[in-house]
Amino acid sequence: MKEELIIAGFGGQGVLSMGKILAYSGVMQDYEVSWMPSYGPEMRGGTANVTVMISDQPISSPISHDYDTAIILNQQSMDKFEERVKPGGVLIYDTNGIVRHPVRKDISIYTIDATAEAARRGNSRLFNTMILGGYLKVRPVVSLENVFKGLEKSLPERAHKSLPANQEAVRIGMELIREYVPE
Amino acid sequence: MEEVKLMKGNEVVAEAAVRSGCDGYFGYPITPQTEIIETLMEMRPWETTGMVVVQAESETASINMVYGGAASGKRVMTSSSSPGISLMAEGLSYLAGAELPCVVVNVSRGGPGLGTIQPSQSDYFQATKAAGHGDFHLIVLAPNSVQEMYDFVFDGFDLAFKYRNPVMILTDGLIGQMMEKVVLNRQRPRMTDEYIAEHYGDWALTGKKGRKYNIVTSLELDPQVQEERNHRLQAKYAAVKANEVRYETRLCDDADYVIVAYGCSSRICAKVIEMAREDGYKVGMLRPITLYPFPTEALKALKSHVKGFLAVELSTGQMVEDVRLSVGSDVLVEHYGRYGGMVHSPSEVYDALKEKIINKLK
């Protein structure tokens, strides 16, 4: 098993923490993991991305040029990373703010309207765990049990009161994800 | 069983400092290594082990605080990134001249000048050849994983005290910022004053208590005496070269071509070897773990069957000079690397390997 994943969006969307939850879930499942962020000015609101690798073998390079899966959360990231999904790979995106939809025919494409759903529920902070849930529905690389453990490990103690809401958001995300049908 | 944690390389340096019995950390924030001092401040080790953590007013102040702590026989360290390390150059030379132990971490970034904040390996010359003025060397360790970021703080203090010489951990923004599994498996207490007096009392400023006084200085007005000092330093570096070379080889036994890479580049190149072997090319890798002393003999030995070497580093070509010095001019040695904060991908390195080495030797 080897999954090379990029999560890309705006700084502040929880891109890095989504990656951390997933990486920690991999640790809980006894997999090898790496988490490599783009960092710096991105932390203050530009584009941010993180490469997460999960494998049952030791991970050689923590960076890659193309990915098994890309989770794309803004237009800039779509422009940059659509072409870097491996043939046969998976692209997941939130349609919010996307003006140019993906065109690749050789990959599986899914949409998840997590921005809208989180806003509808009045808690935009659950956005990233919804996306995570959608991803896990399509790519069940780690068990839900270990994702919940990873969630607990990666959230600081003071945020543990929000664990149940985040677990629920993962489940909502699993329901929310749709196969993309071009218009 | 020891707990497996997921941590950044920088955070782990802070954990290692406290757990390795460090007495004092003195530093000044700079991306991409600020998590080191941030984590130390969050850990508040002054309340547990008694370790001192000081945010100094500058890098210059930091390295001179290190000088003071080291002069009293304490385990002390600092960290910075490329431009900040340049500001420490004078202090590093004084520490080496006064033969004081310390650990300095350089989480390097793209240069020259203030440069970028992304990963780079363009401080190789500075670390291994000219960290400051005068004839001296740092012992330089190059971790390529988060676990080694932990282990090398311990090893760094051991080497620093064994040779009474500053040790640099030369890493980069990639290893510093990435998270991986790590086991915080080693721990030791701080040294007691009695221990320091007993083991380092012949040079450290421990309070003279009846013995002859010690003088810690790098100043000498008599050139004959200073030449003698340099003899002593050179003898020390010779011992370091003879005893402390560390490296790792991967698939070198049957290799036609060998990549030489350290730190984050060695991780990227590990993937390149997998790709090349799948295509039937016999490619191996030698990873220097100590950059000073450099694994010269190990590289020379590979000449018996290796047709070409590719030095891969995030620079315009620095370590490649040591590779050439090691293997000589009668075998093909080339360099490849992105720089300025750009990081080469495995496929870029593989293309370069084919173009610069494999296809040339076909």
Side-chain angles (χ1 to χ4, degrees):
Chain A
M1 197 293 287
K2 179 155 194 198
E3 171 79 342
E4 298 186 353
L5 165 80
I6 185 146
I7 311 172
F10 289 118
Q13 271 179 321
V15 164
L16 300 185
S17 57
M18 197 190 322
K20 187 177 177 185
I21 294 164
L22 190 62
Y24 239 127
S25 308
V27 174
M28 294 295 110
Q29 198 147 321
D30 257 341
Y31 283 148
E32 299 300 321
V33 301
S34 68
W35 176 97
M36 180 64 218
S38 67
Y39 59 87
E42 297 92 342
M43 291 168 76
R44 295 166 198 111
T47 55
N49 68 66
V50 61
T51 303
V52 177
M53 299 203 180
I54 304 178
S55 175
D56 52 10
Q57 302 293 321
I59 290 164
S60 49
S61 174
I63 68 156
S64 187
H65 182 73
D66 43 17
Y67 307 95
D68 298 307
T69 305
I71 298 176
I72 289 173
L73 303 173
N74 65 13
Q75 186 61 53
Q76 292 96 316
S77 303
M78 182 70 83
D79 296 342
K80 188 167 177 188
F81 293 112
E82 179 188 358
E83 64 187 46
R84 285 166 62 173
V85 179
K86 291 176 194 168
V90 172
L91 188 158
I92 298 167
Y93 72 107
D94 189 321
T95 53
N96 181 58
I98 298 290
V99 292
R100 192 194 63 74
H101 291 261
V103 294
R104 293 265 303 264
K105 302 289 179 211
D106 60 338
I107 57 175
S108 305
I109 302 174
Y110 299 86
T111 61
I112 178 164
D113 291 330
T115 306
E117 183 65 19
R120 199 178 65 76
R121 289 170 182 266
N123 190 349
S124 61
R125 294 169 67 96
L126 297 178
F127 158 79
N128 63 350
T129 30
M130 278 185 200
I131 300 276
L132 181 65
Y135 163 74
L136 289 163
K137 173 81 176 180
V138 178
R139 299 281 296 169
V141 292
V142 280
S143 72
L144 205 54
E145 186 193 348
N146 284 323
V147 171
F148 290 166
K149 280 189 198 162
L151 201 54
E152 191 172 338
K153 281 275 182 188
S154 48
L155 287 180
E157 201 101 341
R158 62 178 185 278
H160 278 188
K161 59 181 183 304
S162 71
L163 276 173
N166 275 290
Q167 292 180 1
E168 178 61 16
V170 170
R171 290 204 174 88
I172 293 166
M174 292 181 128
E175 299 299 317
L176 214 55
I177 192 156
R178 297 279 179 272
E179 205 162 333
Y180 172 61
V181 186
E183 284 169 20
Chain B
M1 202 188 93
E2 284 145 330
E3 190 188 0
V4 179
K5 295 192 168 209
L6 183 70
M7 294 178 77
K8 282 188 177 191
N10 287 336
E11 295 167 347
V12 158
V13 169
E15 289 278 354
V18 178
R19 288 165 190 254
S20 64
C22 180
D23 296 295
Y25 170 95
F26 312 93
Y28 188 80
I30 179 171
T31 307
Q33 63 81 55
T34 300
E35 291 91 348
I36 296 176
I37 192 168
E38 279 175 353
T39 306
L40 280 167
M41 289 295 183
E42 278 165 17
M43 290 175 77
R44 308 172 74 83
W46 54 90
E47 291 175 357
T48 52
T49 70
M51 175 186 170
V52 172
V53 183
V54 178
Q55 178 175 331
E57 69 269 37
S58 69
E59 288 86 349
T60 313
S62 307
I63 197 70
N64 283 291
M65 290 176 184
V66 166
Y67 186 106
S72 55
K74 300 286 185 183
R75 282 195 197 114
V76 287
M77 68 183 288
T78 184
S79 66
S80 189
S81 180
S82 310
I85 296 290
S86 292
L87 288 169
M88 295 183 184
E90 180 196 46
L92 286 169
S93 178
Y94 283 30
L95 279 150
E99 294 194 74
L100 293 175
C102 67
V103 171
V104 177
V105 183
N106 180 1
V107 185
S108 62
R109 60 190 237 180
L114 212 44
T116 56
I117 57 172
Q118 278 73 27
S120 181
Q121 297 181 304
S122 51
D123 298 350
Y124 178 92
F125 282 154
Q126 182 191 44
T128 60
K129 300 182 195 298
H133 61 279
D135 275 321
F136 78 95
H137 284 288
L138 306 175
I139 299 170
V140 184
L141 300 170
N144 83 342
S145 67
V146 172
Q147 185 68 51
E148 283 190 350
M149 290 284 264
Y150 186 75
D151 295 338
F152 287 5
V153 172
F154 288 76
D155 298 350
F157 278 126
D158 289 346
L159 286 166
F161 276 86
K162 183 174 174 186
Y163 293 99
R164 281 180 59 191
N165 201 70
V167 169
M168 176 170 282
I169 297 175
L170 180 63
T171 182
D172 56 76
L174 196 150
I175 303 291
Q177 291 292 329
M178 77 183 287
M179 282 201 275
E180 277 189 317
K181 282 165 47 165
V182 60
V183 181
L184 310 180
N185 50 0
R186 292 160 78 181
Q187 191 146 9
R188 64 186 175 203
R190 290 173 55 222
M191 297 180 289
T192 61
D193 288 347
E194 293 71 29
Y195 182 95
I196 294 170
E198 189 189 330
H199 290 84
Y200 310 122
D202 56 333
W203 58 268
L205 308 182
T206 55
K208 109 176 154 66
K209 294 178 201 123
R211 64 164 162 76
K212 193 179 160 292
Y213 57 78
N214 291 329
I215 298 177
V216 173
T217 180
S218 66
L219 175 68
E220 177 52 61
L221 297 178
D222 180 344
Q224 271 186 358
V225 176
Q226 186 63 9
E227 189 178 45
E228 272 311 307
R229 271 194 182 188
N230 270 287
H231 280 320
R232 198 171 69 234
L233 288 179
Q234 291 304 316
K236 175 160 83 177
Y237 303 142
V240 169
K241 280 184 172 177
N243 301 320
E244 308 299 344
V245 173
R246 286 173 69 180
Y247 63 93
E248 194 178 76
T249 55
R250 189 182 286 224
L251 301 175
C252 280
D253 289 348
D254 69 338
D256 293 326
Y257 319 103
V258 162
I259 292 174
V260 187
Y262 69 94
C264 71
S265 281
S266 69
R267 294 290 295 272
I268 293 159
C269 291
K271 176 80 180 173
V272 177
I273 294 170
E274 290 168 21
M275 295 159 80
R277 289 265 166 182
E278 269 174 35
D279 291 348
Y281 297 118
K282 289 181 180 169
V283 178
M285 175 164 64
L286 187 143
R287 164 169 87 102
I289 296 172
T290 50
L291 301 181
Y292 188 92
F294 193 72
T296 303
E297 295 303 320
L299 269 166
K300 202 186 282 178
L302 288 176
K303 269 180 79 178
S304 63
H305 61 283
V306 172
K307 299 179 210 159
F309 295 88
L310 184 69
V312 179
E313 41 183 333
L314 296 173
S315 76
T316 56
Q318 301 193 5
M319 180 191 63
V320 64
E321 293 192 4
D322 282 338
V323 177
R324 287 201 178 104
L325 283 171
S326 301
V327 301
S329 53
D330 54 343
V331 61
L332 182 64
V333 177
E334 291 286 358
H335 163 264
Y336 177 73
R338 301 288 301 267
Y339 32 83
M342 294 301 290
V343 179
H344 32 240
S345 70
S347 48
E348 285 174 317
V349 177
Y350 187 29
D351 288 346
L353 175 70
K354 284 189 279 197
E355 184 199 321
K356 293 179 173 230
I357 303 287
I358 297 176
N359 293 346
K360 266 195 206 167
L361 294 170
K362 257 184 184 166

